[in-house]
């Protein structure tokens, strides 16, 4: 990939002139990472095809083996260099991705297979490609999205080694001065690293979702990402100007001057707004009539913890533990988990930190634990998985309880609950973990515990569920998907995915009522609470707290501080009478403008 970018470097007229007749192309995908950017498309296509290497006999197997070893070492060096380049931007957690790639590259069985073929008389290029393709096919046969993406990594690494075998060169490149937007069907971490983070304006993928590794990294690097644009030819976009709207999951290729000017203005306004809102950092999310709403940040990586502290959040409203599991090569052990959770709890103590137990399945797969299902979002997800694997669940619960020792700011959250029995069983296991640790003298106080409401059945039984725990937390991302029957990761139906659908508002109102009946607070932790207008609405409906990404916290705080609670309640009453999502959006946009927050409407228009 690095080589391809070298080949495509825009530093001396190498770029093919963009087609002036192409016209603006607006493409809708999914938001991968927040932010706006304008840049020039760079497609990390690789010049060499693994299938194109002719079969040829080796004249000297010793020479062929040495050539292969040198090529692998060269690529290994590139990866190490790329990892170092990203190191200042990433917490130790994500840096393991580069190690994963290096491990894949240096896999003893892969090199042994290539060497065996050389010994059988094949030349290095052919032996290597056959070994790589065989390994990639094996991974693809597993029919698992995560393993399939490892197959992509293997092929990518294979091409890089092949390039070195052919060219035998590893000269460093002069990076282009233009800001690039990487656009690819699929993207590996190595693509991001090789592009040079300083020059990278944004990333765009035809596949993937906000939970793909590339999105996670883009979020950590603070660059916008758009995912899941769907299958389409992209070769012609090379060198074209592109606008990336990570908030809306949209891109515009070859924008006309008016659109470009509009986005330039938005980008400037975004930057100005962020700078201006920095003043709110130490002020509470308090309404004009003196009601203080706890406003939390969401996290899943250590980098988010730093960002959450920076943005002045009241704590962490949702820490997604699965990211830490996804970026490793085996289930993390109890001590490794304890240390991670302790770091997070300590960073915020005495402010609360809600840590969600493992929520894998759906589109979140572990590289070391394959789940093959036709309908993964309706399958072995979240609590269903952990209740079937109490060994994994108990290890995590013990690590959480131990991490909380002496701090007492932990709140444990159970994901993907659909029945009362699941909660009872999860609580039984929590008690078991607690009792075990108490016996060992390693824990005293039991943490507060809550249930996520993200499935219609749980929403309808909110009061019964709330009665069993300390709090509820509404996950609007999944609740929208399950209530509206719209896949949250399918760009084709993205326009139907709207968390402000009147049915969603009625359902949230029902959950809030269930919490009231049981005398338990109901928090909001889905992406909806990061939308300033929706945040005001949710406060008016009675949400006990909101959780937003760190980048959105200042905007939400500004909105809350610009309204009275009474006005927010009036908005909630009005919104609940409306028939369409569009009417709800208009109501909230109007309310934001009326309160002098037109800039926030413009941002998400
Ligand atoms: C949700 O579903 O709203 C949620 C917060 O969980 P996740 O996005 O991790 O599924
Ligand atoms: Mg969810």
């Amino acid at each position: 990939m690095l080589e391809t970018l070298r080949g495509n470097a825009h530093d001396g007229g190498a770029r093919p002139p963009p087609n002036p007749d192409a016209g603006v192309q607006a493409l809708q995908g999914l938001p991968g990472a927040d932010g706006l950017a304008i840049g020039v498309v760079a497609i990390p296509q690789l010049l060499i095809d693994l299938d194109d290497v002719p079969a040829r006999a080796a004249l000297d197997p010793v020479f062929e083996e040495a050539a292969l070893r040198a090529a692998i070492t060269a690529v290994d060096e590139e990866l190490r260099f790329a990892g170092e380049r990203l190191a200042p931007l990433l917490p130790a957690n994500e840096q393991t991705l580069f190690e994963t790639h290096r491990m894949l590259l240096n896999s003893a069985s892969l090199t042994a297979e290539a060497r065996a073929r050389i010994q059988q008389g094949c030349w290095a290029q052919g032996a290597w490609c056959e070994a790589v393709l065989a390994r990639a096919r094996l991974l693809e046969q597993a029919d698992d999205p995560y393993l399939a993406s490892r197959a992509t990594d293997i092929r990518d690494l294979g091409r890089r080694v092949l390039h070195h075998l052919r060219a035998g060169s590893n000269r460093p490149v002069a990076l282009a001065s233009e800001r690039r937007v990487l656009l690819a069907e699929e993207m590996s971490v190595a693509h991001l690293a090789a592009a040079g983070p300083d020059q990278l304006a944004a990333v765009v993928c035809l596949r993937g979702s906000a939970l793909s590794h590339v999105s996670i990294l883009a979020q950590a690097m603070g660059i916008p990402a758009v995912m899941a644009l769907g299958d389409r030819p992209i070769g012609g976009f090379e060198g074209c100007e592109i606008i990336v709207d990570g908030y809306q999951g949209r891109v515009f290729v070859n924008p006309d001057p008016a659109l470009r000017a509009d986005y330039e203005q938005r980008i400037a306004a975004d930057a100005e707004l962020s700078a201006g809102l920095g003043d709110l950092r130490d002020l509470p999310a308090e309404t004009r009539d003196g009601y203080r709403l706890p406003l939390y940040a969401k996290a899943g990586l250590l980098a988010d913890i730093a960002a959450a502290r920076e943005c002045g959040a009241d704590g962490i409203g949702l820490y997604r533990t699965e990211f830490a599991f996804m970026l490793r090569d085996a289930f993390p052990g109890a001590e490794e988990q304890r240390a991670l959770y302790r770091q997070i709890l300590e960073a915020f103590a005495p402010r609360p930190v809600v840590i969600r137990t493992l929520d894998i399945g759906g589109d979140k797969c572990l590289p070391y634990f394959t789940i093959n299902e036709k309908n993964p979002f309706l399958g072995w997800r979240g609590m269903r998985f952990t209740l079937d694997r109490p060994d994994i669940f108990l290890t995590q619960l013990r690590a959480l309880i131990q991490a909380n020792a002496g701090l007492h700011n932990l709140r444990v959250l159970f994901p993907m609950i659909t029945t009362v029995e699941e909660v009872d069983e999860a609580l039984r296991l929590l008690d078991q973990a607690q009792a075990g640790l108490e016996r060992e003298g390693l824990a005293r106080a039991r943490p507060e515990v809550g249930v996520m409401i993200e499935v219609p059945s749980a929403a309808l039984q909110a009061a019964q569920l709330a009665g069993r725990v300390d709090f509820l937390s509404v996950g609007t991302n999944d609740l929208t998907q399950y209530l509206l029957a719209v896949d949250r990761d399918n760009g084709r139906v993205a326009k139907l995915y709207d968390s402000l659908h009147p049915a969603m508002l009625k359902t949230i109102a029902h959950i809030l009522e269930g919490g009231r009946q049981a005398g338990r607070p109901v928090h909001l932790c889905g992406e909806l609470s990061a939308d300033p207008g929706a945040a005001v609405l949710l406060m008016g409906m009675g949400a006990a707290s909101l959780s937003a990404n760190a980048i959105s916290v200042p905007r939400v705080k500004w909105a809350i501080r610009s309204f009275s609670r009474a006005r927010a309640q009036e908005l909630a009453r009005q919104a609940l009478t409306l028939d369409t999502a569009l009417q709800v959006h208009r109501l909230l946009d109007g309310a934001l403008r009326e309160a002098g927050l037109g800039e926030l409407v413009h941002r998400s228009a």
Side-chain angles (χ1 to χ4, degrees), residues 420-438:
V420 160
E421 289 92 332
E422 284 168 346
V423 177
D424 290 343
E425 180 59 6
L427 289 172
R428 189 187 70 72
L429 290 166
L430 181 70
D431 287 342
Q432 184 180 323
Q434 177 76 30
L437 287 166
E438 281 176 18

Side-chain angles (χ1 to χ4, degrees), residues 266-570:
R266 287 191 199 200
I267 291 169
D270 225 29
E272 202 182 320
L273 190 60
S274 299
L277 292 179
D279 295 348
L280 296 182
R281 187 186 182 281
D282 298 320
L283 296 175
E286 187 172 311
T287 61
R288 287 175 172 272
D289 47 358
Y291 172 71
R292 189 173 172 167
L293 180 80
L295 178 55
Y296 301 126
K298 276 189 294 216
L301 300 168
L302 284 179
D304 301 333
I305 297 292
R309 278 164 62 97
E310 276 300 299
C311 75
D314 292 317
I316 296 288
L318 174 67
Y319 183 86
R320 295 170 159 116
T321 55
E322 55 276 6
F323 286 171
F325 282 67
M326 286 164 74
L327 297 172
R328 281 171 171 74
D329 292 316
F331 282 104
E335 178 47 30
E336 199 182 343
Q337 287 191 55
R338 189 205 60 77
L340 171 70
Y341 305 147
R342 181 77 185 178
Q343 222 174 327
I344 299 155
L345 293 172
E346 268 175 354
F348 277 89
R351 287 172 284 174
V353 175
V354 180
I355 301 188
R356 182 171 75 183
T357 59
L358 188 61
D359 185 21
I360 57 152
D363 62 344
K364 289 180 276 188
C365 307
L366 301 177
Y368 44 87
F369 193 92
T370 310
I371 302 175
N372 271 323
E373 290 178 325
K374 271 235 168 79
N375 289 310
F377 275 114
L378 301 181
W380 213 24
R381 269 198 86 182
M383 191 49 74
R384 299 171 183 184
F385 172 80
T386 40
L387 287 182
D388 284 349
R389 288 297 306 261
D391 52 329
I392 294 169
F393 193 40
L394 281 168
T395 302
Q396 182 170 42
L397 292 174
R398 278 178 63 93
L400 283 166
I401 296 167
Q402 279 183 275
N404 194 32
L407 296 174
H408 309 301
N409 60 336
L410 167 68
R411 295 176 185 173
V412 176
L413 183 60
F414 297 144
M416 187 67 190
I417 291 289
T418 45
T419 69
V420 160
E421 289 92 332
E422 284 168 346
V423 177
D424 290 343
E425 180 59 6
L427 289 172
R428 189 187 70 72
L429 290 166
L430 181 70
D431 287 342
Q432 184 180 323
Q434 177 76 30
L437 287 166
E438 281 176 18
R439 269 196 308 278
E440 295 162 40
L442 296 172
R444 277 195 222 124
R446 180 180 181 272
E448 280 191 21
V449 56
V451 160
M452 279 195 88
I453 305 293
E454 42 189 356
V455 176
S457 63
L460 290 170
Q461 284 202 291
Q464 288 78 5
L465 294 169
R468 289 168 154 77
V469 289
D470 301 298
F471 65 94
L472 299 181
S473 188
V474 186
T476 51
N477 306 343
D478 275 314
L479 189 57
T480 307
Q481 138 163 292
Y482 292 124
L483 193 69
L484 306 185
V486 179
D487 182 346
R488 62 190 268 185
D489 285 335
N490 183 343
R492 211 174 274 161
V493 289
K495 60 179 181 301
L496 293 174
Y497 183 96
D498 195 330
S499 299
L500 287 175
H501 189 296
M504 272 296 288
L505 298 190
K506 288 192 168 54
T507 306
I508 293 171
H510 183 84
I511 299 166
L512 289 162
E513 180 51 33
R516 265 191 292 273
Q517 280 171 20
R520 299 286 187 270
V522 178
H523 306 275
L524 257 293
C525 73
E527 296 311 313
L528 185 61
S529 29
D531 174 310
V536 172
L537 172 72
L538 294 168
M539 173 179 70
M541 289 175 76
S545 77
L546 301 178
S547 300
N549 290 321
I551 196 170
S552 308
V553 163
R555 292 171 164 91
V556 171
K557 199 184 268 189
W558 188 32
I560 299 293
R561 291 179 62 83
S562 305
F563 280 79
S564 68
R565 192 184 190 193
R567 172 74 180 121
Q569 287 168 336
E570 185 191 318

